Amino acid sequence: AKSFEKVVVLSQIMQAEAIKSAVEAHRRNMPFCMGTLYWQFNDCWPGISWSSIDYSGSWKAFHFVARHFYKPILTCIKKTDSNIEVSIINDLNKSFIVELNIFISSFNGEVFFEKRMEGIKVNPTSSTIYYDFEISPNGIFDSINLNETVFHCEVVLNNKIISKNELFFVKPKDLNLRKPDYELSYKENGEGFLITIQAKVFMYRLFLQAKNLSGTFSDNFFHLRKGDSKEIVFTSDKYNLN
């Protein structure tokens, strides 16, 4: 980081990634672990802290990311030296029939591996491994650049993605990220704006910021694969176009 503003953003991302990895590990271990609380939710002092919401009420990266890793139905990815396990965790007391999609792709959108699994039954209050990808010698990972590769999975229920997750093979600082390239459009929706972003390259923890309005984004600090689009609602605290 070469500026104070970048330190603020990168430190928030580091916090979010750290707590995400811990909470997902706990949730995968159901029923050994049946719940997790994190420290801390908000802060009464204007300073650097563990909180996910700062003194002024602004959401940090951690708070946005927590909305995903605390979803009642969550897909998780665990990597060991020999394999990659894809799990689905269900905190609800009812079963579901879902579709599990798995991709390995480059930041430029080249797909190295694709697996679609339909008709998967997810049992109530359970954590189950539904796919085990073996990391074998002379396999797929020996011929691709791991610094610009993402392992992506998503759970689809009633034609809607309800949970998705990503795994990277190197530390975030070692990722060979491209210069952000995207198409952005927006329109008024009565209480703020509906924003649509389509990625032309893979973007890591895309961060949106409103410089002339105060308010809240429906999502932020998210990954976006090349070709994917996402709609975000920005709700203004004081809706005033002037």
Side-chain angles (χ1 to χ4, degrees):
K2 297 181 180 180
S3 68
F4 176 74
E5 289 77 11
K6 291 182 179 180
V7 170
V8 171
V9 173
L10 291 176
S11 64
Q12 287 188 38
I13 292 175
M14 181 177 67
Q15 178 194 24
E17 297 285 8
I19 306 297
K20 174 180 181 290
S21 64
V23 171
E24 288 184 349
H26 288 308
R27 295 193 63 183
R28 280 197 309 268
N29 283 332
M30 180 191 295
F32 179 79
C33 176
M34 293 297 290
T36 300
L37 295 175
Y38 68 79
W39 179 270
Q40 68 200 75
F41 177 70
N42 59 3
D43 206 331
C44 61
W45 302 104
I48 299 171
S49 76
W50 294 64
S51 69
S52 62
I53 297 179
D54 70 14
Y55 172 77
S56 65
S58 298
W59 292 16
K60 298 180 183 178
F62 174 18
H63 203 74
F64 285 103
V65 177
R67 298 181 72 196
H68 294 280
F69 62 68
Y70 271 126
K71 283 186 174 181
I73 301 176
L74 173 72
T75 179
C76 274
I77 310 170
K78 178 185 177 182
K79 181 181 178 298
T80 69
D81 291 336
S82 60
N83 67 338
I84 300 173
E85 298 172 350
V86 180
S87 304
I88 299 178
I89 295 99
N90 180 15
D91 269 348
L92 301 176
N93 194 28
K94 57 182 179 179
S95 61
F96 298 90
I97 302 297
V98 303
E99 176 183 342
L100 176 63
N101 299 323
I102 299 170
F103 310 93
I104 301 176
S105 59
S106 73
F107 291 170
N108 285 329
E110 181 181 359
V111 178
F112 305 119
F113 175 84
E114 181 176 351
K115 178 77 173 180
R116 297 182 184 271
M117 304 165 62
E118 299 179 349
I120 293 178
K121 182 180 180 180
V122 180
N123 293 321
T125 56
S126 64
S127 172
T128 307
I129 299 172
Y130 287 96
Y131 193 76
D132 191 337
F133 189 96
E134 183 180 357
I135 302 176
S136 57
N138 303 318
I140 183 175
F141 296 116
D142 291 339
S143 59
I144 59 180
N145 186 349
L146 296 182
N147 295 71
E148 47 189 56
T149 299
V150 56
F151 187 106
H152 174 89
C153 63
E154 58 189 28
V155 175
V156 180
L157 176 64
N158 297 327
N159 297 317
K160 181 181 179 181
I161 298 174
I162 59 172
S163 177
K164 61 181 180 179
N165 217 328
E166 294 86 12
L167 169 74
F168 301 96
F169 299 93
V170 298
K171 295 179 180 180
K173 67 177 183 178
D174 295 324
L175 292 173
N176 186 19
L177 299 174
R178 305 293 191 268
K179 182 179 179 180
D181 190 8
Y182 55 88
E183 291 182 0
L184 185 147
S185 61
Y186 64 90
K187 60 182 179 181
E188 300 174 48
N189 68 351
E191 297 180 351
F193 298 91
L194 176 64
I195 305 166
T196 302
I197 299 177
Q198 184 173 34
K200 294 185 178 180
V201 296
F202 175 81
M203 291 189 289
Y204 179 91
R205 294 294 177 207
L206 174 62
F207 169 49
L208 297 170
Q209 185 176 25
K211 293 187 176 182
N212 58 344
L213 285 174
S214 61
T216 304
F217 292 96
S218 60
D219 201 2
N220 215 337
F221 292 96
F222 49 84
H223 303 307
L224 205 56
R225 293 188 304 156
K226 180 180 179 179
D228 286 355
S229 62
K230 186 176 180 68
E231 289 188 343
I232 302 101
V233 176
F234 176 78
T235 304
S236 175
D237 294 335
K238 293 182 179 179
Y239 188 60
N240 183 3
L241 295 180
N242 297 321

